[in-house]
Amino acid sequence: MSRRIVVVTAGLSQPSSTRLLADRIAAAVTAAVGARGESTDVEVIELRDLATDLAITVATGGLPAPAVARAREQVSHADGLIAVTPVFTASYSGLFKMFFDVLDTDALNGMPAIVAATAGSARHSMVLDFAMRPLLTFLRAVVVPTGVFAATEDFGDGEAGAALGSRIRRAAEELAALVVGERTGVDGFTPASSPARPRSSGNSLRAPGTPFQDLLRAHMG
């Protein structure tokens, strides 16, 4: 069985350290899922390419531009999410936040997710727990315990680089365990999980409301 992993990356430069980190995490997740006997289909959403369409979507009251609608479908139909942003002013980038603002409130229900960030200095590492984790938890994603932060020096081959590799592998293992849903208990002795709230891209037109004349007749009759 193939598991769909969507990577949302908010890097602005090309090449980007944010995209580099995203690719390393995606490769580690692919390996971890493969070790459990299943394959992955990785899809990358570069928010830099959606910047104009995201602005149009927000400015028009949430009516998604076609490219944004496609990205919303990709996210809501994924089995797992990797969300990576550069740090701007001690938090995630505005582009990153704008994308999650235009998702349907049911897009990430119960979805396993990794949060990751890049910055020039390790002093920004708290962005994972004080900004990114609350954002995705609010959207009802299941964020794995290990977040991945990478400062500039972490991309080297020394001790810092080895520590980054370890964090990536640990986060990937945690995500793979949730995505594959490997059971460790004996059938009949593990509590049944409650049905998951369905996910929605929000792109479908909702059923029209009751016409005003019908409401008026019901009230008068």
Side-chain angles (χ1 to χ4, degrees):
M1 181 176 181
S2 182
R3 305 289 181 163
R4 182 183 295 179
I5 306 297
V6 168
V7 180
V8 175
T9 172
L12 297 180
S13 60
Q14 196 173 16
S16 159
S17 60
T18 303
R19 176 60 189 270
L20 175 61
L21 180 60
D23 288 344
R24 288 184 60 179
I25 297 172
V29 170
T30 297
V33 172
R36 287 167 168 76
E38 299 192 13
S39 61
T40 56
D41 179 13
V42 177
E43 301 175 1
V44 179
I45 300 174
E46 281 274 11
L47 297 187
R48 179 186 62 246
D49 299 335
L50 291 178
T52 300
D53 290 318
L54 283 170
I56 291 172
T57 297
V58 172
T60 56
L63 182 65
V68 173
R70 286 193 297 272
R72 283 165 39 143
E73 288 288 343
Q74 286 177 278
V75 169
S76 64
H77 287 88
D79 296 304
L81 172 69
I82 300 169
V84 193
T85 181
V87 176
F88 289 167
T89 320
S91 188
Y92 37 64
S93 73
L95 186 60
F96 184 87
K97 179 59 161 60
M98 188 158 51
F99 178 74
F100 285 94
D101 281 345
V102 303
L103 291 182
D104 189 83
T105 54
D106 288 327
L108 300 182
N109 288 336
M111 184 177 296
I114 291 174
V115 292
T118 59
S121 168
R123 66 192 180 95
H124 292 296
S125 61
M126 298 303 289
V127 69
L128 297 175
D129 291 324
F130 284 92
M132 299 184 72
R133 191 178 296 274
L135 173 64
L136 267 66
T137 300
F138 175 81
L139 292 171
R140 293 184 290 274
V142 180
V143 184
V144 302
T146 302
V148 182
F149 178 84
T152 302
E153 61 268 20
D154 294 330
F155 288 100
D157 296 327
E159 185 177 337
L164 174 61
S166 178
R167 291 195 299 275
I168 289 173
R169 288 189 296 272
R170 186 166 63 248
E173 288 288 342
E174 293 167 355
L175 187 72
L178 292 175
V179 166
V180 175
E182 189 174 68
R183 298 187 62 169
T184 56
V186 178
D187 285 344
F189 292 91
T190 54
S193 59
S194 58
R197 182 170 173 172
R199 295 177 192 144
S200 169
S201 67
N203 290 335
S204 300
L205 293 175
R206 300 189 183 275
T210 305
F212 175 74
Q213 290 180 341
D214 292 345
L215 288 172
L216 185 61
R217 279 196 295 268
H219 178 71
M220 297 298 293

Short mmCIF file of all heavy atoms in Angstrom, two decimals, residues 49-110:
data_model
loop_
_atom_site.label_atom_id
_atom_site.label_comp_id
_atom_site.label_asym_id
_atom_site.label_seq_id
_atom_site.Cartn_x
_atom_site.Cartn_y
_atom_site.Cartn_z
N ASP A 49 5.58 29.53 -4.85
CA ASP A 49 4.90 29.52 -6.13
C ASP A 49 3.42 29.86 -6.01
O ASP A 49 2.77 30.16 -7.02
CB ASP A 49 5.04 28.13 -6.78
CG ASP A 49 6.50 27.76 -7.04
OD1 ASP A 49 7.32 28.68 -7.19
OD2 ASP A 49 6.80 26.55 -7.09
N LEU A 50 2.88 29.80 -4.80
CA LEU A 50 1.45 30.09 -4.59
C LEU A 50 1.21 31.46 -3.98
O LEU A 50 0.06 31.80 -3.69
CB LEU A 50 0.85 29.04 -3.64
CG LEU A 50 0.70 27.61 -4.15
CD1 LEU A 50 0.13 26.73 -3.03
CD2 LEU A 50 -0.19 27.54 -5.37
N ALA A 51 2.27 32.25 -3.80
CA ALA A 51 2.14 33.50 -3.05
C ALA A 51 1.05 34.42 -3.61
O ALA A 51 0.20 34.91 -2.87
CB ALA A 51 3.49 34.23 -3.02
N THR A 52 1.07 34.65 -4.92
CA THR A 52 0.07 35.54 -5.52
C THR A 52 -1.33 34.97 -5.39
O THR A 52 -2.28 35.68 -5.03
CB THR A 52 0.39 35.78 -7.01
OG1 THR A 52 1.69 36.38 -7.12
CG2 THR A 52 -0.64 36.69 -7.65
N ASP A 53 -1.48 33.66 -5.65
CA ASP A 53 -2.80 33.03 -5.57
C ASP A 53 -3.32 33.01 -4.14
O ASP A 53 -4.53 33.13 -3.91
CB ASP A 53 -2.74 31.61 -6.13
CG ASP A 53 -2.55 31.59 -7.64
OD1 ASP A 53 -3.19 32.40 -8.32
OD2 ASP A 53 -1.76 30.77 -8.12
N LEU A 54 -2.43 32.85 -3.17
CA LEU A 54 -2.86 32.90 -1.77
C LEU A 54 -3.37 34.29 -1.41
O LEU A 54 -4.39 34.44 -0.73
CB LEU A 54 -1.70 32.51 -0.85
CG LEU A 54 -1.37 31.03 -0.76
CD1 LEU A 54 -0.06 30.83 -0.01
CD2 LEU A 54 -2.50 30.25 -0.07
N ALA A 55 -2.67 35.32 -1.89
CA ALA A 55 -3.10 36.70 -1.62
C ALA A 55 -4.47 36.97 -2.25
O ALA A 55 -5.34 37.59 -1.63
CB ALA A 55 -2.06 37.68 -2.15
N ILE A 56 -4.67 36.47 -3.45
CA ILE A 56 -5.96 36.64 -4.13
C ILE A 56 -7.06 35.92 -3.35
O ILE A 56 -8.17 36.43 -3.16
CB ILE A 56 -5.89 36.13 -5.58
CG1 ILE A 56 -4.98 37.03 -6.41
CG2 ILE A 56 -7.28 36.04 -6.20
CD1 ILE A 56 -4.70 36.49 -7.80
N THR A 57 -6.75 34.72 -2.89
CA THR A 57 -7.73 33.93 -2.13
C THR A 57 -8.15 34.66 -0.86
O THR A 57 -9.34 34.74 -0.54
CB THR A 57 -7.15 32.55 -1.79
OG1 THR A 57 -6.88 31.84 -3.00
CG2 THR A 57 -8.12 31.74 -0.94
N VAL A 58 -7.18 35.20 -0.14
CA VAL A 58 -7.48 35.93 1.09
C VAL A 58 -8.26 37.21 0.78
O VAL A 58 -9.23 37.54 1.47
CB VAL A 58 -6.19 36.25 1.85
CG1 VAL A 58 -6.47 37.19 3.03
CG2 VAL A 58 -5.52 34.97 2.35
N ALA A 59 -7.87 37.91 -0.28
CA ALA A 59 -8.51 39.18 -0.62
C ALA A 59 -9.94 39.02 -1.11
O ALA A 59 -10.74 39.95 -1.02
CB ALA A 59 -7.67 39.91 -1.67
N THR A 60 -10.26 37.84 -1.63
CA THR A 60 -11.61 37.61 -2.15
C THR A 60 -12.49 36.89 -1.14
O THR A 60 -13.52 36.32 -1.49
CB THR A 60 -11.56 36.79 -3.45
OG1 THR A 60 -10.85 35.57 -3.22
CG2 THR A 60 -10.90 37.57 -4.56
N GLY A 61 -12.09 36.91 0.11
CA GLY A 61 -12.94 36.35 1.15
C GLY A 61 -12.88 34.84 1.25
O GLY A 61 -13.81 34.21 1.76
N GLY A 62 -11.81 34.23 0.77
CA GLY A 62 -11.65 32.80 0.93
C GLY A 62 -12.00 31.96 -0.27
O GLY A 62 -11.84 30.74 -0.25
N LEU A 63 -12.50 32.57 -1.36
CA LEU A 63 -12.78 31.81 -2.58
C LEU A 63 -11.44 31.43 -3.20
O LEU A 63 -10.69 32.30 -3.65
CB LEU A 63 -13.60 32.66 -3.57
CG LEU A 63 -14.00 31.97 -4.87
CD1 LEU A 63 -14.95 30.82 -4.59
CD2 LEU A 63 -14.64 32.98 -5.83
N PRO A 64 -11.09 30.13 -3.24
CA PRO A 64 -9.73 29.76 -3.62
C PRO A 64 -9.45 29.91 -5.10
O PRO A 64 -10.27 29.55 -5.95
CB PRO A 64 -9.63 28.29 -3.19
CG PRO A 64 -11.04 27.79 -3.25
CD PRO A 64 -11.90 28.96 -2.85
N ALA A 65 -8.27 30.47 -5.42
CA ALA A 65 -7.77 30.44 -6.79
C ALA A 65 -7.53 28.98 -7.16
O ALA A 65 -7.32 28.14 -6.28
CB ALA A 65 -6.47 31.24 -6.88
N PRO A 66 -7.54 28.64 -8.46
CA PRO A 66 -7.40 27.22 -8.86
C PRO A 66 -6.18 26.53 -8.28
O PRO A 66 -6.27 25.39 -7.82
CB PRO A 66 -7.33 27.31 -10.39
CG PRO A 66 -8.11 28.53 -10.74
CD PRO A 66 -7.83 29.51 -9.62
N ALA A 67 -5.03 27.20 -8.27
CA ALA A 67 -3.82 26.57 -7.73
C ALA A 67 -3.95 26.32 -6.23
O ALA A 67 -3.47 25.31 -5.72
CB ALA A 67 -2.60 27.46 -8.01
N VAL A 68 -4.61 27.22 -5.52
CA VAL A 68 -4.82 27.04 -4.09
C VAL A 68 -5.81 25.91 -3.85
O VAL A 68 -5.64 25.09 -2.93
CB VAL A 68 -5.33 28.35 -3.45
CG1 VAL A 68 -5.72 28.12 -1.99
CG2 VAL A 68 -4.27 29.43 -3.56
N ALA A 69 -6.84 25.81 -4.68
CA ALA A 69 -7.81 24.72 -4.55
C ALA A 69 -7.13 23.37 -4.72
O ALA A 69 -7.41 22.41 -3.99
CB ALA A 69 -8.94 24.89 -5.57
N ARG A 70 -6.19 23.28 -5.68
CA ARG A 70 -5.46 22.02 -5.88
C ARG A 70 -4.61 21.69 -4.66
O ARG A 70 -4.56 20.53 -4.23
CB ARG A 70 -4.58 22.13 -7.13
CG ARG A 70 -5.34 22.07 -8.44
CD ARG A 70 -4.41 21.86 -9.62
NE ARG A 70 -3.47 22.95 -9.80
CZ ARG A 70 -3.72 24.04 -10.52
NH1 ARG A 70 -4.90 24.18 -11.12
NH2 ARG A 70 -2.81 25.00 -10.64
N ALA A 71 -3.96 22.69 -4.10
CA ALA A 71 -3.13 22.45 -2.91
C ALA A 71 -3.99 22.02 -1.73
O ALA A 71 -3.59 21.15 -0.94
CB ALA A 71 -2.35 23.72 -2.56
N ARG A 72 -5.17 22.60 -1.60
CA ARG A 72 -6.08 22.21 -0.52
C ARG A 72 -6.50 20.75 -0.67
O ARG A 72 -6.60 20.01 0.33
CB ARG A 72 -7.29 23.13 -0.49
CG ARG A 72 -6.98 24.48 0.12
CD ARG A 72 -7.98 25.58 -0.12
NE ARG A 72 -9.38 25.23 -0.07
CZ ARG A 72 -10.33 26.02 0.45
NH1 ARG A 72 -9.99 27.17 1.00
NH2 ARG A 72 -11.58 25.67 0.42
N GLU A 73 -6.75 20.32 -1.90
CA GLU A 73 -7.09 18.92 -2.14
C GLU A 73 -5.92 18.01 -1.78
O GLU A 73 -6.10 16.96 -1.17
CB GLU A 73 -7.47 18.72 -3.61
CG GLU A 73 -8.81 19.30 -4.02
CD GLU A 73 -9.99 18.51 -3.47
OE1 GLU A 73 -9.79 17.34 -3.06
OE2 GLU A 73 -11.10 19.06 -3.44
N GLN A 74 -4.71 18.41 -2.18
CA GLN A 74 -3.54 17.60 -1.87
C GLN A 74 -3.39 17.40 -0.37
O GLN A 74 -3.15 16.28 0.09
CB GLN A 74 -2.27 18.27 -2.41
CG GLN A 74 -2.08 18.19 -3.91
CD GLN A 74 -0.84 18.94 -4.35
OE1 GLN A 74 -0.86 20.16 -4.50
NE2 GLN A 74 0.25 18.21 -4.53
N VAL A 75 -3.55 18.46 0.39
CA VAL A 75 -3.36 18.38 1.83
C VAL A 75 -4.45 17.53 2.48
O VAL A 75 -4.16 16.64 3.29
CB VAL A 75 -3.34 19.79 2.45
CG1 VAL A 75 -3.42 19.72 3.98
CG2 VAL A 75 -2.08 20.53 2.03
N SER A 76 -5.70 17.77 2.13
CA SER A 76 -6.80 17.07 2.82
C SER A 76 -6.84 15.59 2.49
O SER A 76 -7.41 14.80 3.25
CB SER A 76 -8.15 17.73 2.46
OG SER A 76 -8.43 17.61 1.08
N HIS A 77 -6.23 15.18 1.36
CA HIS A 77 -6.23 13.76 0.97
C HIS A 77 -4.93 13.05 1.35
O HIS A 77 -4.73 11.89 0.99
CB HIS A 77 -6.47 13.62 -0.53
CG HIS A 77 -7.89 13.90 -0.93
ND1 HIS A 77 -8.34 15.17 -1.23
CD2 HIS A 77 -8.97 13.09 -1.04
CE1 HIS A 77 -9.62 15.12 -1.54
NE2 HIS A 77 -10.03 13.88 -1.42
N ALA A 78 -4.06 13.72 2.07
CA ALA A 78 -2.77 13.12 2.44
C ALA A 78 -2.93 12.18 3.63
O ALA A 78 -3.88 12.26 4.40
CB ALA A 78 -1.76 14.21 2.77
N ASP A 79 -1.96 11.27 3.75
CA ASP A 79 -1.89 10.39 4.92
C ASP A 79 -0.98 10.98 5.99
O ASP A 79 -1.06 10.58 7.16
CB ASP A 79 -1.36 9.01 4.52
CG ASP A 79 -2.30 8.29 3.56
OD1 ASP A 79 -3.48 8.12 3.91
OD2 ASP A 79 -1.85 7.91 2.46
N GLY A 80 -0.12 11.90 5.60
CA GLY A 80 0.78 12.53 6.54
C GLY A 80 1.28 13.85 6.00
O GLY A 80 1.28 14.08 4.78
N LEU A 81 1.69 14.74 6.89
CA LEU A 81 2.10 16.10 6.51
C LEU A 81 3.46 16.43 7.10
O LEU A 81 3.74 16.11 8.26
CB LEU A 81 1.06 17.10 7.03
CG LEU A 81 1.38 18.59 6.91
CD1 LEU A 81 1.36 19.03 5.45
CD2 LEU A 81 0.39 19.42 7.73
N ILE A 82 4.30 17.06 6.28
CA ILE A 82 5.56 17.64 6.74
C ILE A 82 5.48 19.13 6.47
O ILE A 82 5.37 19.55 5.31
CB ILE A 82 6.77 17.02 6.01
CG1 ILE A 82 6.83 15.51 6.25
CG2 ILE A 82 8.07 17.68 6.47
CD1 ILE A 82 7.82 14.79 5.34
N ALA A 83 5.49 19.94 7.52
CA ALA A 83 5.33 21.39 7.37
C ALA A 83 6.62 22.08 7.79
O ALA A 83 7.06 21.93 8.95
CB ALA A 83 4.16 21.89 8.22
N VAL A 84 7.22 22.85 6.87
CA VAL A 84 8.53 23.45 7.12
C VAL A 84 8.50 24.94 6.77
O VAL A 84 8.02 25.31 5.69
CB VAL A 84 9.63 22.76 6.29
CG1 VAL A 84 11.02 23.18 6.79
CG2 VAL A 84 9.49 21.24 6.34
N THR A 85 9.00 25.77 7.66
CA THR A 85 9.00 27.21 7.42
C THR A 85 10.34 27.83 7.85
O THR A 85 10.98 27.33 8.78
CB THR A 85 7.88 27.90 8.22
OG1 THR A 85 7.88 29.32 7.95
CG2 THR A 85 8.05 27.70 9.71
N PRO A 86 10.76 28.90 7.19
CA PRO A 86 11.84 29.71 7.75
C PRO A 86 11.28 30.53 8.90
O PRO A 86 10.07 30.77 8.98
CB PRO A 86 12.24 30.61 6.57
CG PRO A 86 11.00 30.72 5.74
CD PRO A 86 10.28 29.42 5.89
N VAL A 87 12.16 30.95 9.80
CA VAL A 87 11.72 31.77 10.93
C VAL A 87 11.85 33.24 10.56
O VAL A 87 12.93 33.70 10.18
CB VAL A 87 12.54 31.46 12.20
CG1 VAL A 87 12.14 32.40 13.33
CG2 VAL A 87 12.35 30.01 12.62
N PHE A 88 10.75 33.98 10.67
CA PHE A 88 10.75 35.41 10.45
C PHE A 88 10.23 36.08 11.72
O PHE A 88 9.12 35.77 12.18
CB PHE A 88 9.84 35.80 9.28
CG PHE A 88 10.36 35.40 7.93
CD1 PHE A 88 9.53 35.44 6.82
CD2 PHE A 88 11.68 35.00 7.75
CE1 PHE A 88 10.00 35.09 5.56
CE2 PHE A 88 12.16 34.64 6.50
CZ PHE A 88 11.32 34.68 5.40
N THR A 89 11.00 36.98 12.30
CA THR A 89 10.59 37.73 13.49
C THR A 89 10.08 36.78 14.58
O THR A 89 8.98 36.94 15.10
CB THR A 89 9.51 38.78 13.14
OG1 THR A 89 9.81 39.40 11.90
CG2 THR A 89 9.44 39.85 14.23
N ALA A 90 10.86 35.76 14.87
CA ALA A 90 10.62 34.82 15.97
C ALA A 90 9.38 33.95 15.78
O ALA A 90 8.87 33.39 16.75
CB ALA A 90 10.53 35.56 17.30
N SER A 91 8.89 33.81 14.54
CA SER A 91 7.74 32.96 14.31
C SER A 91 7.79 32.41 12.88
O SER A 91 8.75 32.64 12.15
CB SER A 91 6.44 33.73 14.54
OG SER A 91 5.32 32.87 14.50
N TYR A 92 6.75 31.66 12.51
CA TYR A 92 6.67 31.17 11.14
C TYR A 92 6.46 32.35 10.19
O TYR A 92 6.05 33.44 10.58
CB TYR A 92 5.54 30.15 10.97
CG TYR A 92 4.28 30.44 11.76
CD1 TYR A 92 3.50 31.57 11.52
CD2 TYR A 92 3.88 29.57 12.78
CE1 TYR A 92 2.36 31.82 12.24
CE2 TYR A 92 2.73 29.82 13.50
CZ TYR A 92 1.98 30.94 13.24
OH TYR A 92 0.85 31.21 13.97
N SER A 93 6.73 32.13 8.91
CA SER A 93 6.61 33.21 7.93
C SER A 93 5.14 33.54 7.68
O SER A 93 4.24 32.72 7.89
CB SER A 93 7.27 32.81 6.61
OG SER A 93 6.50 31.84 5.94
N GLY A 94 4.89 34.76 7.20
CA GLY A 94 3.54 35.15 6.87
C GLY A 94 2.95 34.30 5.77
O GLY A 94 1.75 33.98 5.77
N LEU A 95 3.78 33.89 4.82
CA LEU A 95 3.32 33.03 3.72
C LEU A 95 2.86 31.68 4.26
O LEU A 95 1.83 31.14 3.83
CB LEU A 95 4.45 32.85 2.71
CG LEU A 95 4.13 32.10 1.41
CD1 LEU A 95 3.04 32.81 0.63
CD2 LEU A 95 5.40 31.97 0.57
N PHE A 96 3.61 31.13 5.19
CA PHE A 96 3.25 29.86 5.83
C PHE A 96 1.90 29.99 6.53
O PHE A 96 1.01 29.16 6.36
CB PHE A 96 4.35 29.48 6.82
CG PHE A 96 4.17 28.15 7.50
CD1 PHE A 96 4.63 26.98 6.91
CD2 PHE A 96 3.56 28.07 8.75
CE1 PHE A 96 4.49 25.75 7.55
CE2 PHE A 96 3.41 26.86 9.39
CZ PHE A 96 3.88 25.69 8.78
N LYS A 97 1.74 31.04 7.32
CA LYS A 97 0.49 31.24 8.06
C LYS A 97 -0.68 31.46 7.10
O LYS A 97 -1.79 30.95 7.34
CB LYS A 97 0.63 32.44 8.99
CG LYS A 97 -0.63 32.77 9.81
CD LYS A 97 -1.05 31.62 10.70
CE LYS A 97 -1.97 32.06 11.83
NZ LYS A 97 -3.21 32.67 11.38
N MET A 98 -0.46 32.19 6.02
CA MET A 98 -1.53 32.47 5.07
C MET A 98 -2.05 31.17 4.45
O MET A 98 -3.26 31.02 4.24
CB MET A 98 -1.05 33.44 3.99
CG MET A 98 -2.15 33.94 3.09
SD MET A 98 -1.74 35.51 2.26
CE MET A 98 -0.14 35.17 1.55
N PHE A 99 -1.14 30.23 4.16
CA PHE A 99 -1.58 28.97 3.58
C PHE A 99 -2.48 28.20 4.55
O PHE A 99 -3.55 27.71 4.17
CB PHE A 99 -0.38 28.10 3.20
CG PHE A 99 -0.78 26.77 2.63
CD1 PHE A 99 -1.30 26.67 1.35
CD2 PHE A 99 -0.66 25.61 3.39
CE1 PHE A 99 -1.70 25.45 0.82
CE2 PHE A 99 -1.04 24.38 2.87
CZ PHE A 99 -1.55 24.30 1.58
N PHE A 100 -2.08 28.12 5.81
CA PHE A 100 -2.90 27.38 6.76
C PHE A 100 -4.18 28.13 7.10
O PHE A 100 -5.18 27.51 7.48
CB PHE A 100 -2.08 27.03 8.00
CG PHE A 100 -1.12 25.91 7.75
CD1 PHE A 100 0.20 26.18 7.38
CD2 PHE A 100 -1.52 24.59 7.81
CE1 PHE A 100 1.08 25.15 7.11
CE2 PHE A 100 -0.64 23.55 7.54
CZ PHE A 100 0.66 23.83 7.18
N ASP A 101 -4.17 29.45 6.93
CA ASP A 101 -5.40 30.22 7.11
C ASP A 101 -6.46 29.88 6.06
O ASP A 101 -7.66 29.98 6.34
CB ASP A 101 -5.10 31.72 7.05
CG ASP A 101 -4.52 32.26 8.35
OD1 ASP A 101 -4.62 31.56 9.38
OD2 ASP A 101 -3.97 33.38 8.33
N VAL A 102 -6.04 29.52 4.86
CA VAL A 102 -7.02 29.27 3.79
C VAL A 102 -7.42 27.79 3.71
O VAL A 102 -8.26 27.43 2.88
CB VAL A 102 -6.52 29.74 2.41
CG1 VAL A 102 -6.18 31.21 2.44
CG2 VAL A 102 -5.34 28.91 1.92
N LEU A 103 -6.85 26.95 4.55
CA LEU A 103 -7.30 25.56 4.59
C LEU A 103 -8.66 25.47 5.26
O LEU A 103 -9.00 26.28 6.13
CB LEU A 103 -6.31 24.69 5.36
CG LEU A 103 -4.94 24.44 4.74
CD1 LEU A 103 -4.13 23.50 5.64
CD2 LEU A 103 -5.05 23.85 3.33
N ASP A 104 -9.43 24.47 4.89
CA ASP A 104 -10.69 24.21 5.57
C ASP A 104 -10.40 23.80 7.01
O ASP A 104 -9.36 23.18 7.30
CB ASP A 104 -11.45 23.09 4.85
CG ASP A 104 -12.86 22.93 5.37
OD1 ASP A 104 -13.75 23.69 4.94
OD2 ASP A 104 -13.07 22.05 6.23
N THR A 105 -11.29 24.13 7.91
CA THR A 105 -11.06 23.80 9.33
C THR A 105 -11.04 22.29 9.56
O THR A 105 -10.56 21.84 10.61
CB THR A 105 -12.15 24.43 10.21
OG1 THR A 105 -13.44 24.05 9.72
CG2 THR A 105 -12.04 25.94 10.20
N ASP A 106 -11.54 21.50 8.62
CA ASP A 106 -11.51 20.04 8.74
C ASP A 106 -10.45 19.40 7.86
O ASP A 106 -10.44 18.19 7.68
CB ASP A 106 -12.88 19.45 8.39
CG ASP A 106 -13.92 19.72 9.47
OD1 ASP A 106 -13.54 19.76 10.65
OD2 ASP A 106 -15.10 19.89 9.12
N ALA A 107 -9.53 20.18 7.31
CA ALA A 107 -8.55 19.65 6.36
C ALA A 107 -7.54 18.72 7.01
O ALA A 107 -7.04 17.78 6.37
CB ALA A 107 -7.82 20.79 5.65
N LEU A 108 -7.20 18.96 8.27
CA LEU A 108 -6.12 18.21 8.92
C LEU A 108 -6.61 17.31 10.05
O LEU A 108 -5.81 16.84 10.86
CB LEU A 108 -5.07 19.18 9.48
CG LEU A 108 -4.37 20.09 8.47
CD1 LEU A 108 -3.31 20.94 9.18
CD2 LEU A 108 -3.72 19.29 7.35
N ASN A 109 -7.88 17.01 10.10
CA ASN A 109 -8.42 16.21 11.20
C ASN A 109 -7.66 14.89 11.37
O ASN A 109 -7.65 14.04 10.48
CB ASN A 109 -9.89 15.89 10.95
CG ASN A 109 -10.78 17.09 11.12
OD1 ASN A 109 -10.44 18.03 11.82
ND2 ASN A 109 -11.93 17.09 10.46
N GLY A 110 -7.01 14.73 12.52
CA GLY A 110 -6.32 13.48 12.83
C GLY A 110 -5.12 13.16 11.97
O GLY A 110 -4.62 12.03 12.00
#
